[in-house]
Amino acid sequence: MNQRRVELILYLVKWTVLASIVGILVGSASAFFLVSLEWATSMQHTYTWLLFLLPFGGALVSYTYWKYGQNASKGNNLIIEQAQGEEESVPFRMAPLVLGGTIITHLFGGSAGREGTAVQMGGAFSELVAKVCKLDKIDRKIILICGISSGFGSVFGTPLAGTIFALEVLAIGMIRHEALFPSFVAACIGNIVTVAWGVGHHPYDIGDVPVFSWLLVMKVVLAAILFGLTSRVFSGLTHWMKRGFVKLFVHPVWRSFVGGVLFVLLTLLIGTRDYTGLGIPLIDQAFDGTVATFAFLMKLFFTALTLGAGYQGGEVTPLFVIGSSLGSTLGSYLDVSIPFLAALGFIGVFCSATSTPIACFIMGIELFGSEAAIYFFLVCIISYVCSGHTGIYTSQQIGVSKR
Amino acid sequence: MNQRRVELILYLVKWTVLASIVGILVGSASAFFLVSLEWATSMQHTYTWLLFLLPFGGALVSYTYWKYGQNASKGNNLIIEQAQGEEESVPFRMAPLVLGGTIITHLFGGSAGREGTAVQMGGAFSELVAKVCKLDKIDRKIILICGISSGFGSVFGTPLAGTIFALEVLAIGMIRHEALFPSFVAACIGNIVTVAWGVGHHPYDIGDVPVFSWLLVMKVVLAAILFGLTSRVFSGLTHWMKRGFVKLFVHPVWRSFVGGVLFVLLTLLIGTRDYTGLGIPLIDQAFDGTVATFAFLMKLFFTALTLGAGYQGGEVTPLFVIGSSLGSTLGSYLDVSIPFLAALGFIGVFCSATSTPIACFIMGIELFGSEAAIYFFLVCIISYVCSGHTGIYTSQQIGVSKR
């Protein structure tokens, strides 16, 4: 056996072991996180007065981050930078901090997501493995990619999308294949472990895919452009609110407190709790066509406010809510199957906000099957091109200009 | 409306038009090519004595290339280099030459494929469009990518795989997204036009996907490693034969003539015509489990001989034959569903030989549906990692090392 073949076998064995360790740790953390999230959501639904504690909960989390967080407050951007090869340390405390912070956001009714939490837990655990195993610079980069892929894959139940997401999110406009195998192993093991802990994922039904026609294609293109523009509004508004809060309040505790008070007042004003929490019920309503016409705008605003005020949690589930609600609304105006456009919005707005078209296309296939594959691709490409070079992750490098 | 938005709309309109033109031209050429190929194949089956003319047919084609071909004899590598940004000219005569040459190969029973022909026709047509429209250097690169994607997408009926193949084949280890939208439009229009000409594509049935088990995963990994090694043998043998023929015979006409004589003698010796032509019947036999145990090795050898001797045609359909036959053979030895492993081999050997894992994964979904998606991904990644940095295209740059 020649040296190259030995090296190949060593590579495969080494990364099967390392990525599996990451997958087991992160998959278990995701399972615990998803169960806690369900608990927090049901508490919030049962004891509606918990909403009034939101400003205090947010202030507490911001205080904890300020006092003990070190650079953990950089969130997803820290993980993305390290997986790009930066050499700042990812403190392990990031995992409990973001987990606790996100649970508090949801317990008290803030509007946020899950992927940020999963990715940050993934990053913290994989950095731990890197330290214990004394990995060199290149391997550390790869194992951080494993952390991202296993976090994403396990929290959404989409290991293939997770694999590609971790590679595609690092730089706009390209996928580098160097960590393809480790990323895949980590995402699959992560997902298998989460499922093995008895934690399932929400199923969605795209319904019958409409018959092909050029009119349908034009409607889908129009919808995709709107998905792209909506994601721009979301990213822009979130960044604008963040900057605004920073300008108005020097101390992060005040930002979260005031943001929380605003959130509570506005929620009372509109008289519905629909825009608190993850918003999964809105996705269901979007798919069966019962969602309110401007639900996507409301969810967009409340999420931007929550995240702008410094609350913990991700952006992705709210992006799913915004996208599927918008798709549902467009479905009735454009006279296209509602669950079909809701599914396209689900992946389109997310794709546009993260600039990860191939990952989102694959996610579409994992969640909704391959019958509408060509439309998934179309929507991902158009919304990707339309979103410009600014998304929700400010640390994304621009690898290749979009056009 | 600000300037950026105007630029975006202009970009979308411009590339919708240009890529559609390429798609219409290349899709029509593919339709004509596929119909001619069917005619040549049926002629070869009806008049079996045509095989004896193979050396003369090959010599004639090689003479024509030598006398009139200019740099067209560089084949796919020329197109790949130009789409990477080189500034050599792609002569339009490449299209009729490769079309005629491939038809002659198949009419007289040589063992070769189709994608090389489709990609080269695509390249020649898109270069023509670039010249007529006086495109600049960057746009020419993009339109050549459109030529590759529309050729690949239309000849196999897999527009999404074609889109990604054209981006992924240029450099090992990465996908650059810059031409994503044009590549997609060209591939889709190409495929739609081919189908509109009444030319259908062969359907394949993967059967029931086996129930998940770790034993199954290990068997699939083993199979994927063998797919990767088989593709290495194929690439190595083809390059070795090419070099050998060049060393033995200075003039290309003699290479093709002697290679053809060898091909005829060996075909008579083994007493079957199974390994002439595209080999689609072998794929059908592979899927229903009736293919001969070592059919993959025979097809591998006869194709390497045909291409090594300088005959025109692609490598991809023979790679499908080799892969599905090998998968079928492994299916009975490993006690795994035969059509399932045949499908995995179909994409695995091709993936490995071209180093395009994401394109092959998507091709698997387009041809066989998404139920086995995770196994497609697994096979593509493993066979990709196992095949090393040398494949069938010597002009591929190494973008990112595989590991």
Side-chain angles (χ1 to χ4, degrees), chain A residues 8 11 160 164 168 173-178 181 184 358 365 370 377-378 381-382 384-385 400 403, chain B residues 8 11 160 164 168 173-178 181 184 358 365 370 377-378 381-382 384-385 400 403:
Chain A
L8 172 63
Y11 170 86
L160 303 183
I164 300 295
E168 201 173 28
M174 57 197 294
I175 297 180
R176 292 165 62 94
H177 293 1
E178 59 202 318
F181 175 73
F184 174 71
I358 311 292
I365 289 183
S370 62
F377 211 97
L378 178 61
I381 291 180
I382 301 272
Y384 165 79
V385 174
V400 175
R403 50 172 200 280
Chain B
L8 172 63
Y11 170 87
L160 303 182
I164 300 297
E168 201 173 29
M174 57 197 296
I175 296 180
R176 291 166 63 95
H177 292 1
E178 58 202 321
F181 175 73
F184 174 69
I358 312 292
I365 289 183
S370 62
F377 211 97
L378 178 62
I381 292 181
I382 301 273
Y384 165 78
V385 174
V400 175
R403 51 172 200 278

Side-chain angles (χ1 to χ4, degrees), chain B residues 207-227:
Chain B
D208 289 332
V209 176
V211 179
F212 175 86
S213 76
W214 287 107
L215 184 63
L216 176 67
V217 171
M218 282 162 65
K219 288 174 177 176
V220 169
V221 168
L222 177 64
I225 293 174
L226 294 175
F227 297 150

Side-chain angles (χ1 to χ4, degrees), chain A residues 288-356:
Chain A
D288 63 24
T290 56
V291 77
T293 307
F294 293 105
F296 73 96
L297 269 186
M298 301 298 283
K299 186 68 185 174
L300 189 156
F301 174 80
F302 278 102
T303 308
L305 176 59
T306 305
L307 299 174
Y311 282 73
Q312 293 302 314
E315 293 92 346
V316 174
T317 308
L319 288 170
F320 292 161
V321 176
I322 295 165
S324 55
S325 312
L326 174 55
S328 187
T329 296
L330 290 174
S332 37
Y333 285 104
L334 294 175
D335 192 24
V336 176
S337 156
I338 285 177
F340 172 70
L341 265 194
L344 296 184
F346 189 105
I347 58 169
V349 173
F350 166 50
C351 165
S352 177
T354 54
S355 289
T356 55

Side-chain angles (χ1 to χ4, degrees), chain A residues 62-80:
Chain A
S62 287
Y63 178 79
T64 315
Y65 262 88
W66 173 74
K67 187 88 180 167
Y68 308 104
Q70 297 171 343
N71 56 352
S73 61
K74 288 173 73 179
N76 274 17
N77 288 317
L78 178 66
I79 308 296
I80 290 175

Side-chain angles (χ1 to χ4, degrees), chain B residues 206 210 215-216 219-220 222-224 226-227 285-294 296 322-346:
Chain B
I206 191 175
L215 184 63
L216 176 67
K219 288 174 177 176
V220 169
L222 177 64
L226 294 175
F227 297 150
Q285 289 172 25
F287 275 84
D288 62 24
T290 56
V291 76
T293 307
F294 291 106
F296 72 98
I322 295 165
S324 56
S325 312
L326 173 56
S328 186
T329 296
L330 290 174
S332 37
Y333 284 104
L334 293 174
D335 192 24
V336 176
S337 156
I338 284 177
F340 173 71
L341 264 196
L344 296 183
F346 188 105

Side-chain angles (χ1 to χ4, degrees), chain A residues 235-257:
Chain A
S235 304
L237 189 64
T238 306
H239 293 316
W240 182 81
M241 288 221 186
K242 262 193 187 138
R243 281 196 306 271
F245 275 109
V246 168
K247 213 181 263 176
L248 291 172
F249 309 99
V250 176
H251 202 292
V253 167
W254 279 109
R255 287 174 216 153
S256 299
F257 185 81

